[in-house]
Amino acid sequence: MAKTKPQLLFFLFIFSVSLHFFHGKSSQFGSETDSWLNDDEDDEVIMVERKKNSRTCDFSTGKWVYDQSYPLYDANCPYLSSAVMCQRNGRPDNDYEKWRWKPQGCSIPRFDALKFLGKMRKKRIMLVGDSIMRNQWESLVCLVQGVVPTGRKKVTYNGPTMAFHALDFEMSIEFSWAPLLVELKKGAQNKRILHLDRIEDNARYWRGADVLVFDSAHWWTHSDQWSSWDYYMVGQSLIRTMNPMIAYQKGLNTWAKWIELNLDPRKTRVFFRSMSPRHNRENGWKCYNQKQPLTFFSHQHIPEPMVVLKEVLRRMRFPVYLQDITTMSGLRRDGHPSVYRRAMGQEEKQHPKDFSSDCSHWCLPGVPDIWNEMLSALL
């Protein structure tokens, strides 16, 4: 015993010094009240936790379960645009509102509006992208607005952005229109030029947000007939044609560079929502009159934009969470507005195939509500 006692004392001394050192290291974050870090966390711990959580529950695989307790809000939510108000536009069925996503081996917590607002108190959450991201923004606003008193909520507009404010929580849910993320400008002779290496005109609206959720895929995959630009531009080089997936990769690389140069992962959480599937084959009629989700795919297809996106995210140092909703939403061909993207009279309802069918956007309440339940769980 006499021989081991000095060793024991030495061990206790080293242990106490180590405790003091690690306590001192973690305390440097204590004054950063706006940080996403707790006092005992650092960047490495955050990454370990996120990887552990993603292994625990893979939200992207599972099945749709019919649940009578859905939808999570009334179809008359005042913040819905007319194109997604399928019930008001005359859709005769409403089962599409009552499906809940059940991941394999775990579950997504039911959306709790007060809990979400409390978690986002004094913060800005911004959704950036195209009209399908606007679809998701409307869903998120409708999920929370019911618990906010009438006089304590408002919507403001600033350039390409709009924001819902819950005044008592000093928080906002914002949408920023940037379907390509990079800049689309008018050039000489009114030619539309897509600048693959310029982004600041759009990105200046994203600064200061505490949570950023991006999407960008649909506009990149439009056919030549529906393309939104006439030329690509990189530096001073004007380019007439380019493989659209190479252009998409260049645009995403510009976005990734902006994220890494301008954001601090201790203060801003960044998500990238994967491509929302379109069911518009057969000239837009594949989703018409569909009443139930598919239970499985006869063959699994990974969209090319998804492959490009994953590779760009893999090379980033900034921790961006890929919110994969592609497969789960691909099973929901029943969830689109189809011909009910506008109100139809009685005579028009007798001949629905005389009208175009929207198989890209989503009826609300509906599928984007589940994306937001997932987002809330990830936050």
Side-chain angles (χ1 to χ4, degrees):
M1 289 295 291
K3 291 182 179 179
T4 58
K5 192 171 182 180
Q7 295 173 346
L8 178 60
L9 289 172
F10 179 73
F11 171 79
L12 289 172
F13 171 74
I14 294 297
F15 183 67
S16 65
V17 169
S18 299
L19 280 178
H20 177 76
F21 172 77
F22 285 114
H23 176 74
K25 180 180 179 183
S26 64
S27 68
Q28 69 177 299
F29 300 112
S31 63
E32 294 183 16
T33 54
D34 292 332
S35 172
W36 284 97
L37 296 168
N38 292 325
D39 287 346
D40 58 350
E41 288 182 324
D42 60 18
D43 292 345
E44 186 176 353
V45 174
I46 284 179
M47 291 303 293
V48 169
E49 284 299 314
R50 288 183 194 170
K51 287 178 181 177
K52 184 173 74 176
N53 289 341
S54 64
R55 282 198 300 270
T56 304
C57 185
D58 180 3
F59 288 156
S60 67
T61 60
K63 62 181 180 179
W64 289 97
V65 178
Y66 191 79
D67 189 332
Q68 283 281 11
S69 70
Y70 279 65
L72 298 167
Y73 56 88
D74 190 272
N76 292 317
C77 170
Y79 299 97
L80 295 179
S81 54
S82 59
V84 300
M85 299 176 69
C86 301
Q87 289 295 298
R88 184 176 291 186
N89 292 341
R91 181 164 174 166
D93 61 304
N94 67 354
D95 277 357
Y96 65 89
E97 298 179 343
K98 299 181 182 298
W99 294 92
R100 171 174 57 84
W101 180 246
K102 176 72 172 68
Q104 193 171 345
C106 58
S107 60
I108 300 175
R110 186 181 177 89
F111 191 91
D112 184 321
L114 281 174
K115 185 176 179 181
F116 182 83
L117 288 167
K119 185 164 49 180
M120 293 302 300
R121 184 183 293 275
K122 295 188 176 180
K123 296 190 184 295
R124 294 173 57 203
I125 177 169
M126 178 176 279
L127 282 61
V128 181
D130 55 22
S131 58
I132 297 175
M133 187 60 93
R134 163 72 184 266
N135 212 175
Q136 184 176 352
W137 177 83
E138 292 183 12
S139 161
L140 186 55
V141 170
C142 287
L143 283 166
V144 304
Q145 69 89 27
V147 300
V148 182
T150 302
R152 306 303 298 160
K153 55 191 172 187
K154 65 177 182 177
V155 173
T156 59
Y157 302 87
N158 176 29
T161 72
M162 58 199 305
F164 170 86
H165 302 267
L167 301 178
D168 292 329
F169 292 87
E170 300 177 66
M171 66 83 67
S172 60
I173 302 170
E174 306 176 31
F175 169 69
S176 180
W177 172 256
L180 296 157
L181 300 181
V182 291
E183 296 175 16
L184 181 62
K185 299 284 190 183
K186 282 284 181 70
Q189 300 174 332
N190 266 351
K191 293 297 183 182
R192 301 163 302 167
I193 301 173
L194 182 59
H195 294 265
L196 297 176
D197 57 355
R198 286 171 46 179
I199 199 168
E200 184 57 37
D201 274 5
N202 295 326
R204 59 197 168 109
Y205 294 99
W206 314 338
R207 296 179 186 276
D210 300 281
V211 178
L212 282 164
V213 185
F214 294 92
D215 89 318
S216 184
H218 283 285
W219 280 42
W220 296 92
T221 57
H222 288 167
S223 64
D224 288 342
Q225 181 185 356
W226 300 105
S227 177
S228 303
W229 58 87
D230 302 301
Y231 294 96
Y232 300 100
M233 196 165 189
V234 180
Q236 299 302 312
S237 301
L238 205 60
I239 304 164
R240 182 71 184 91
T241 59
M242 185 186 297
N243 181 308
M245 287 301 98
I246 292 176
Y248 182 51
Q249 184 179 45
K250 288 180 181 295
L252 284 181
N253 283 337
T254 299
W255 166 83
K257 183 178 179 181
W258 186 90
I259 294 290
E260 298 200 316
L261 289 176
N262 291 277
L263 300 184
D264 182 345
R266 295 171 299 174
K267 295 182 178 179
T268 308
R269 297 281 297 275
V270 179
F271 298 84
F272 206 112
R273 199 208 68 217
S274 67
M275 185 177 186
S276 173
R278 291 177 287 200
H279 296 97
N280 57 358
R281 281 175 295 203
E282 300 169 18
N283 294 319
W285 289 97
K286 193 175 182 184
C287 71
Y288 174 67
N289 215 24
Q290 297 295 331
K291 302 287 176 57
Q292 289 191 327
L294 297 168
T295 53
F296 63 91
F297 293 111
S298 56
H299 62 281
Q300 189 74 307
H301 171 67
I302 300 175
E304 199 172 358
M306 185 76 154
V307 178
V308 174
L309 172 61
K310 283 185 173 181
E311 179 58 23
V312 170
L313 296 183
R314 186 187 66 79
R315 293 198 306 267
M316 292 180 68
R317 295 185 305 275
F318 192 103
V320 176
Y321 188 93
L322 174 63
Q323 185 186 1
D324 186 355
I325 56 86
T326 304
T327 300
M328 61 182 282
S329 306
L331 297 169
R332 292 301 309 276
R333 61 183 184 181
D334 61 307
H336 298 288
S338 185
V339 297
Y340 303 106
R341 60 189 183 84
R342 66 178 190 84
M344 291 192 293
Q346 275 306 120
E347 289 188 20
E348 292 175 318
K349 289 177 184 177
Q350 306 304 314
H351 307 283
K353 290 221 170 188
D354 290 345
F355 303 93
S356 60
S357 177
D358 180 356
C359 297
S360 295
H361 299 92
W362 301 93
C363 295
L364 290 178
V367 172
D369 303 332
I370 308 301
W371 303 348
N372 285 321
E373 279 197 307
M374 185 191 300
L375 179 63
S376 177
L378 292 170
L379 285 169

